[in-house]
Amino acid sequence: VVRSLRRTLKGVRVTAVRCFFPPVVAGDLRELRGALEGRRLQGFRRYGKYIFLLPEEGTPVAIHLRMTGQLLMAERDRSPDKHTHLEADLDLPGQKLVYRDVRKFGRFALAAGGVEWFVAEKRLGPDALTVTPAGLREALARTARCLKASLLDQSVVAGLGNIYTDEILHRVGISPRRPAREVREEEIGLLCESMREILYAAIADSGTTISDFVGLEGRRGGFQFALRVYGRKGEPCSRCGEPIQRSVVAGRGTWYCAVCQR
Ligand SMILES: [Zn+2]
């Protein structure tokens, strides 16, 4: 999403912001409008699961899409449907930026003290694409929880959700129930490698669409076809052929191979 935003909206001016469902803005709607209206978008960043719009001489705006949020380019004269909660008019002829969200859990917030301040305020751990084995080892050693719960905890490592965590653990061959502090040094190195490998592959495929995720142009991702365990209960494991199992770990549906991930 951030790559598409950069391609499409860099240098573009926001001329007006309309909100149809105020809870989508965490904080003051007028302040959010003040941060965006009349300003050019000069940059875009991502940290963990947050997207940041960086307006010129303004406060960064953080966006979290949660389960079903969609940032979309739309034609200016298209009227908003019931799932559209926010729109931004742009100085791009005939186009606008639209936020849709069926389940309404996504949020826009001002990062008043800047991106780094926001990351500290939300207590986000190192980003999953740049976390070092030493950093991950330190975070895992501090907890009594299982590995799956720890990897989902955004203060341990920022950016992993349920789907990618299951895929990463299968790739490395570790049980999601293993106590995090018992993960061995060489496995931590493999975990870091596997995070990058899977996340970059998913990004190259424009994401994973299980239900609602689409890119800025409205297209579904493609990585759901490359998933090896998530959602594949009963199908043969790609490594050993045994059926994939599903159970609940850390309160989340969890898919794994009981042979490869003892
Ligand atoms: Zn297997």
mmCIF file of all heavy atoms in Angstrom, residues 237 240 257 260, ligand 1:
data_model
loop_
_atom_site.group_PDB
_atom_site.id
_atom_site.type_symbol
_atom_site.label_atom_id
_atom_site.label_comp_id
_atom_site.label_asym_id
_atom_site.label_seq_id
_atom_site.Cartn_x
_atom_site.Cartn_y
_atom_site.Cartn_z
ATOM 1 N N CYS A 237 1.152 -31.388 4.034
ATOM 2 C CA CYS A 237 2.251 -30.456 4.288
ATOM 3 C C CYS A 237 3.186 -30.450 3.081
ATOM 4 O O CYS A 237 3.516 -31.503 2.540
ATOM 5 C CB CYS A 237 2.999 -30.906 5.551
ATOM 6 S SG CYS A 237 4.581 -30.077 5.798
ATOM 7 N N CYS A 240 6.471 -32.530 4.227
ATOM 8 C CA CYS A 240 6.489 -33.946 4.611
ATOM 9 C C CYS A 240 5.265 -34.724 4.155
ATOM 10 O O CYS A 240 5.235 -35.943 4.247
ATOM 11 C CB CYS A 240 6.654 -34.079 6.127
ATOM 12 S SG CYS A 240 5.137 -33.663 7.013
ATOM 13 N N CYS A 257 2.161 -27.954 10.912
ATOM 14 C CA CYS A 257 2.408 -29.368 10.652
ATOM 15 C C CYS A 257 2.988 -29.982 11.924
ATOM 16 O O CYS A 257 4.038 -29.557 12.392
ATOM 17 C CB CYS A 257 3.381 -29.547 9.487
ATOM 18 S SG CYS A 257 3.868 -31.273 9.307
ATOM 19 N N CYS A 260 6.632 -31.530 11.082
ATOM 20 C CA CYS A 260 7.726 -30.577 10.824
ATOM 21 C C CYS A 260 7.908 -29.565 11.960
ATOM 22 O O CYS A 260 8.949 -28.928 12.063
ATOM 23 C CB CYS A 260 7.466 -29.808 9.532
ATOM 24 S SG CYS A 260 7.429 -30.863 8.078
HETATM 25 ZN ZN ZN B 1 5.302 -31.347 7.536
#
